[in-house]
Amino acid sequence: SHGLGFQASYTFSKSIDDTSAVIGGFISGYSGAVSQTAPQDPFNARADRGPSSFDVRSSLSFNIFQDLHADRLAWLRPLGRTATAGWQVMGIGTFMSGLPFTVYSGVQQTGVGANGTDRPDQTDVPDLSTSRAVREDYFGRGADNASFFHIPSNPGHFGSLGRNTFRGPAFRDLDIALIKDTPLGTRAGREMASLQFRAEFFNLLNTVNFGLPSNIVLGPGFGEITRTASNSRQIQFSLKLIY
């Protein structure tokens, strides 16, 4: 209507399995969390039943398009139709809940499963909040994050912590493009070519989207986020000849 068009979609979903293959061993390319595909106990695959490593519970996306009709504004008419016509703005927004991840012990305590798949017992409930002043400390205790867990010392004892029981930070992104199409002439009543100018702003609000934290209790920087899940604000300008 009047040059305005938009679409929006929301998805609520849940994916459950007992293993999820992740390329490169990481949960996305922006994560410090390792994802193992082998079970903790090969004789009890049900103990690994949980959310898939790619499970996104809520996802909202939208796009919007608006013809600016700048040539209809009286105060811009002195500039001429060539300069004022053909302006459009487009936007794409994505908002998703966080991905799940598993906490591993970092030591082969049972001698049963594959190396690195053993999980600890959870002894306390961390506040997984990114509203703190130091948001990259996801568990909230810094160097003492391991105190939320206990690694069983009895040989053959499996930790009680489930697979993919924690979720990382949410993801938010807004991209905007300003576009100008300028006709370059006509022949027999048909447009011969046009020149398109584009000014594109990726992550317009410069939102810091955090990746997943390091998830090995005995590993370096456990519970701390060392990577972001998206780039900082990026701006690019381009010209395209369409014929």
Side-chain angles (χ1 to χ4, degrees):
S1 176
H2 302 288
L4 172 65
F6 64 90
Q7 293 179 322
S9 65
Y10 172 75
T11 302
F12 178 79
S13 64
K14 186 175 183 180
S15 176
I16 300 175
D17 56 26
D18 53 28
T19 184
S20 299
V22 180
I23 297 175
F26 290 94
I27 308 173
S28 91
Y30 302 96
S31 169
V34 175
S35 177
Q36 300 286 359
T37 56
Q40 176 181 239
D41 181 0
F43 302 102
N44 182 20
R46 186 172 180 81
D48 283 82
R49 181 177 173 82
S52 303
S53 296
F54 51 81
D55 177 49
V56 176
R57 190 62 50 85
S58 295
S59 177
L60 171 66
S61 62
F62 67 86
N63 63 73
I64 186 170
F65 170 87
Q66 174 66 63
D67 189 330
L68 297 180
H69 300 296
D71 54 321
R72 299 181 183 178
L73 300 177
W75 60 277
L76 288 178
R77 285 175 184 170
L79 298 177
R81 183 174 174 80
T82 300
T84 58
W87 286 98
Q88 307 158 359
V89 64
M90 299 175 62
I92 299 176
T94 304
F95 303 87
M96 299 189 300
S97 57
L99 289 169
F101 66 94
T102 304
V103 169
Y104 298 104
S105 299
V107 62
Q108 182 70 342
Q109 68 214 28
T110 63
V112 176
N115 186 33
T117 61
D118 287 346
R119 300 189 292 269
D121 295 321
Q122 183 175 346
T123 58
D124 200 357
V125 180
D127 178 18
L128 302 180
S129 173
T130 54
S131 61
R132 306 185 191 95
V134 183
R135 293 188 295 162
E136 61 268 24
D137 180 16
Y138 202 52
F139 284 100
R141 290 185 182 173
D144 199 32
N145 280 330
S147 63
F148 287 110
F149 306 93
H150 171 260
I151 299 176
S153 58
N154 298 331
H157 179 80
F158 293 98
S160 59
L161 185 65
R163 169 179 163 268
N164 283 343
T165 53
F166 297 100
R167 286 191 177 266
F171 180 90
R172 295 164 293 173
D173 182 70
L174 177 63
D175 302 330
I176 295 291
L178 181 65
I179 303 170
K180 169 71 165 74
D181 287 316
T182 305
L184 296 182
T186 60
R187 176 184 297 173
R190 299 178 59 185
E191 186 178 287
M192 295 174 56
S194 65
L195 184 66
Q196 184 179 86
F197 165 77
R198 299 178 69 97
E200 298 171 304
F201 304 83
F202 302 97
N203 192 4
L204 177 69
L205 302 179
N206 205 27
T207 303
V208 180
N209 290 302
F210 285 95
L212 297 179
S214 176
N215 60 336
I216 300 178
V217 175
L218 297 182
F222 171 65
E224 296 182 2
I225 300 175
T226 59
R227 305 185 186 190
T228 55
S230 65
N231 294 322
S232 58
R233 182 191 297 120
Q234 306 289 320
I235 304 174
Q236 70 179 30
F237 302 95
S238 62
L239 286 174
K240 179 188 293 186
L241 180 63
I242 303 173
Y243 60 92

